[in-house]
Amino acid sequence: MSEMRFFIDPIRCIGCKSCMQACSECATHKGKPMIHLEYMERGSSTQTVPMVCMHCENPTCAAVCPADAIKRTEDQVVQSSLKERCIGCKNCVVSCPFGVPRYYPEMDQMMKCDLCYDRTSQGLKPMCATVCPSEALFYGTLEEFQSRRKGTPINTFDFGMQEIKTRVFLVAPDGYVNLSMDVMHHLDGRFEDNAYDHLDPFSHLEAMPMSGGLL
Ligand code: SF4
Ligand code: SF4
């Protein structure tokens, strides 16, 4: 049987925050949502984008952790930090290319999305995907996705010279193969208007029509 995958389709997000609410009800993170909503262009658009850990094939967060506090399961799910190991240095927070991990001072620990591993390891969907009314968060096989949905699932991202492959897919308009997030290329223009738009991984979607749209 094909592997179950997680898909984020930003175009479908209606900003209802059901995912955040459902996530925050998990007993292991005590009222804190591990999924976050980003805004594409807050000044001019209400479009929101749900953001979870992308579960990178070679996770930078784990590579830079001096305490070896971030472990991966056999099926490549990158876990939150181990409480007894995390020293709160925040290396993972600043190094994650997707801006995912958060350090919680009251818990003195980095926590992040672990793909609801207590559920997904038992064949259940992550909580956020069970409540998302527009299926902006979709959990299923690649074949299931392709038979039901529009858009191209992408899990290869370019950050300058570095290519990052992820376990989680981002749904882009048809025709895309990978998404370039070339930060260095844009540094010369850092004093120009909108100079940092390229740092937003979803800014390319702003001018696009409903590509991953509802069926
Ligand atoms: S998205 Fe960030 S937190 Fe998640 S595995 Fe990749 S580097 Fe680590
Ligand atoms: S904050 Fe914790 S998990 Fe993150 S790099 Fe530092 S020790 Fe590792």
Side-chain angles (χ1 to χ4, degrees):
M1 188 182 145
S2 297
E3 213 177 339
M4 299 295 277
R5 297 294 192 150
F6 192 95
F7 302 85
I8 305 172
D9 191 343
I11 297 291
R12 287 182 175 236
C13 180
I14 57 173
C16 68
K17 299 187 180 172
S18 300
C19 52
M20 292 177 66
Q21 183 60 41
C23 184
S24 68
E25 288 173 18
C26 175
T28 58
H29 30 93
K30 305 178 178 69
K32 294 177 174 49
M34 297 292 126
I35 182 168
H36 305 279
L37 288 194
E38 307 284 354
Y39 288 81
M40 278 211 219
E41 193 64 57
R42 201 162 189 170
S44 58
S45 167
T46 55
Q47 181 66 56
T48 46
V49 180
M51 198 65 218
V52 296
C53 175
M54 300 297 284
H55 298 282
C56 306
E57 279 185 9
N58 292 304
T60 312
C61 58
V64 301
C65 177
D68 195 20
I70 303 170
K71 302 291 187 185
R72 268 200 309 178
T73 61
E74 280 178 3
D75 48 349
Q76 316 299 308
V77 175
V78 184
Q79 300 286 295
S80 266
S81 72
L82 293 169
K83 172 73 178 160
E84 59 275 19
R85 280 182 175 259
C86 180
I87 57 173
C89 67
K90 306 190 191 84
N91 278 2
C92 53
V93 176
V94 295
S95 68
C96 168
F98 298 98
V100 168
R102 299 274 197 278
Y103 170 71
Y104 294 90
E106 66 277 27
M107 301 166 84
D108 192 20
Q109 181 184 7
M110 178 284 277
M111 296 196 72
K112 66 167 192 66
C113 155
D114 63 2
L115 201 66
C116 283
Y117 200 65
D118 53 340
R119 294 175 57 84
T120 51
S121 60
Q122 301 299 315
L124 298 172
K125 293 181 183 182
M127 281 305 290
C128 56
T130 66
V131 299
C132 180
S134 59
E135 291 196 342
L137 303 167
F138 180 84
Y139 190 70
T141 65
L142 190 56
E143 293 75 22
E144 249 182 300
F145 180 91
Q146 287 166 336
S147 68
R148 289 184 50 192
R149 302 279 293 261
K150 293 179 180 172
T152 303
I154 285 175
N155 70 338
T156 305
F157 304 88
D158 293 336
F159 290 86
M161 301 291 287
Q162 190 177 6
E163 183 181 90
I164 293 184
K165 280 189 179 294
T166 61
R167 195 177 194 283
V168 170
F169 286 86
L170 182 71
V171 182
D174 283 326
Y176 276 72
V177 178
N178 62 357
L179 290 181
S180 175
M181 299 175 189
D182 193 346
V183 176
M184 299 306 291
H185 176 75
H186 293 272
L187 281 184
D188 284 346
R190 61 193 180 279
F191 299 118
E192 296 169 6
D193 285 347
N194 305 322
Y196 289 101
D197 280 359
H198 60 281
L199 294 176
D200 175 355
F202 306 104
S203 58
H204 67 286
L205 294 173
E206 188 192 2
M208 293 189 175
M210 291 278 286
S211 56
L214 302 171
L215 289 175

